[in-house]
Amino acid sequence: MSKPDHQVTIAFQGLEESFTYLASRNFFRNYGKAVSYVSQRHAKGVFGSVVNGSAQYGVVALESSTHGSIRGVHDALLSLEGMLLIVGEVGQQEEHCLCGSHNTLDKPIELIVSEVFGHPHILECCNEYIDEIDSRRSARGLPDVVRVPTTDSVEACIIVAREKNAGATAIASAEAAHAHGLKVLMKGVGNDRNSEVLFKILLFLCKQHSLCYCCSVYRHDTLWSQNVELPVLPMIPYASVQNLLS
């Protein structure tokens, strides 16, 4: 992969050390310091950054090997009516970790965990582990674990780090836990330890293609992948883009 002669901005969903951020860094790893990363809270923010030209590429999670398409992201992408190209993809195995402020598991996990924070998709991917904790708590006469959805896994870590409740935990990457001063209490808490999430690399419609009205996304994944050199395509000034779309 050749390095660009100018700074390239990548928009990604979530915060630094989120799974999407890690996938972005992996895909663009050979660009080195020529790449900067911009966090967006939601997928629509990623799409907007690419469309308005403030980012050259956007990265979003679109599919999970265990749960199929991530519906909210998929629907938001389809709503753009051919304005974005999918120019690459990267699959990433995600190791979901239970993270908290405890230094060690000095007592049974069911006595430690009373709340679990995480992205809704991640909570679903780890529901078997949480259900097992619920069963153990029930046997001790304790209420079920409270599952609290967050925007992403890093936000879950931030909340737990500032929580006064010692039973608050997050499901996130080990990198996110360490970045926010949390300990990894248990690794591999996902339902399928071999599950993979497919992240799509998005680019605004460039001068080399005409608008494709017959489909929502112009796909040429067969030509672009993480194993093929990824050139930096010329960006159209936003005013020109508006004229093209009108």
Side-chain angles (χ1 to χ4, degrees), residues 161-220:
R162 69 174 184 233
E163 274 276 326
K164 302 295 185 181
N165 180 6
T169 58
I171 296 180
S173 66
E175 292 87 347
H178 296 151
H180 295 282
L182 300 180
K183 307 294 183 182
V184 174
L185 304 178
M186 188 70 67
K187 292 183 177 181
V189 300
N191 301 345
D192 180 359
R193 295 190 181 187
N194 296 315
S195 67
E196 183 178 74
V197 173
L198 192 62
F199 296 85
K200 297 294 185 179
I201 316 303
L202 305 171
L203 174 75
F204 195 86
L205 189 70
C206 72
K207 293 178 181 178
Q208 298 175 17
H209 301 285
S210 61
L211 282 173
C212 179
Y213 292 106
C214 62
C215 62
S216 295
V217 181
Y218 183 101
R219 297 178 60 91
H220 49 183

Side-chain angles (χ1 to χ4, degrees), residues 6-80:
H6 60 282
Q7 192 75 16
V8 176
T9 301
I10 314 299
F12 66 95
Q13 183 180 359
L15 302 172
E16 286 195 13
E17 308 305 337
S18 66
F19 289 111
T20 307
Y21 173 76
L22 297 177
S24 303
R25 291 290 299 267
N26 180 32
F27 190 90
F28 292 97
R29 61 188 178 277
N30 291 334
Y31 276 6
K33 294 182 180 179
V35 173
S36 61
Y37 297 89
V38 177
S39 166
Q40 294 292 338
R41 189 172 180 85
H42 302 289
K44 287 184 178 180
V46 175
F47 301 151
S49 295
V50 177
V51 168
N52 68 27
S54 60
Q56 282 70 53
Y57 295 99
V59 181
V60 294
L62 195 61
E63 299 174 30
S64 165
S65 62
T66 55
H67 291 85
S69 296
I70 300 175
R71 187 171 183 84
V73 178
H74 186 265
D75 290 348
L77 183 56
L78 289 179
S79 71
L80 294 173

Side-chain angles (χ1 to χ4, degrees), residues 45-235:
V46 175
F47 301 151
S49 295
V50 177
V51 168
N52 68 27
S54 60
Q56 282 70 53
Y57 295 99
V59 181
V60 294
L62 195 61
E63 299 174 30
S64 165
S65 62
T66 55
H67 291 85
S69 296
I70 300 175
R71 187 171 183 84
V73 178
H74 186 265
D75 290 348
L77 183 56
L78 289 179
S79 71
L80 294 173
E81 297 295 341
M83 294 171 66
L84 294 172
L85 307 179
I86 295 178
V87 296
E89 63 182 37
V90 55
Q92 177 173 272
Q93 285 192 331
E94 299 182 345
E95 183 176 46
H96 298 121
C97 301
L98 182 71
C99 314
S101 58
H102 295 267
N103 290 324
T104 59
L105 289 175
D106 54 357
K107 53 185 177 180
I109 191 69
E110 65 268 21
L111 298 180
I112 293 175
V113 180
S114 60
E115 289 182 295
V116 177
F117 293 80
H119 186 279
H121 179 72
I122 291 178
L123 291 177
E124 185 177 1
C125 289
C126 301
N127 62 358
E128 292 178 6
Y129 179 76
I130 303 173
D131 287 346
E132 176 60 26
I133 295 177
D134 284 343
S135 296
R136 296 183 186 183
R137 287 177 64 83
S138 178
R140 293 176 179 269
L142 298 172
D144 287 349
V145 171
V146 178
R147 309 178 196 205
V148 185
T150 58
T151 301
D152 70 7
S153 55
V154 178
E155 183 185 44
C157 289
I158 292 172
I159 293 172
V160 170
R162 69 174 184 233
E163 274 276 326
K164 302 295 185 181
N165 180 6
T169 58
I171 296 180
S173 66
E175 292 87 347
H178 296 151
H180 295 282
L182 300 180
K183 307 294 183 182
V184 174
L185 304 178
M186 188 70 67
K187 292 183 177 181
V189 300
N191 301 345
D192 180 359
R193 295 190 181 187
N194 296 315
S195 67
E196 183 178 74
V197 173
L198 192 62
F199 296 85
K200 297 294 185 179
I201 316 303
L202 305 171
L203 174 75
F204 195 86
L205 189 70
C206 72
K207 293 178 181 178
Q208 298 175 17
H209 301 285
S210 61
L211 282 173
C212 179
Y213 292 106
C214 62
C215 62
S216 295
V217 181
Y218 183 101
R219 297 178 60 91
H220 49 183
D221 292 359
T222 55
L223 301 179
W224 298 65
S225 75
Q226 64 185 69
N227 298 318
V228 178
E229 181 175 322
L230 182 66
V232 179
L233 298 180
M235 293 297 296

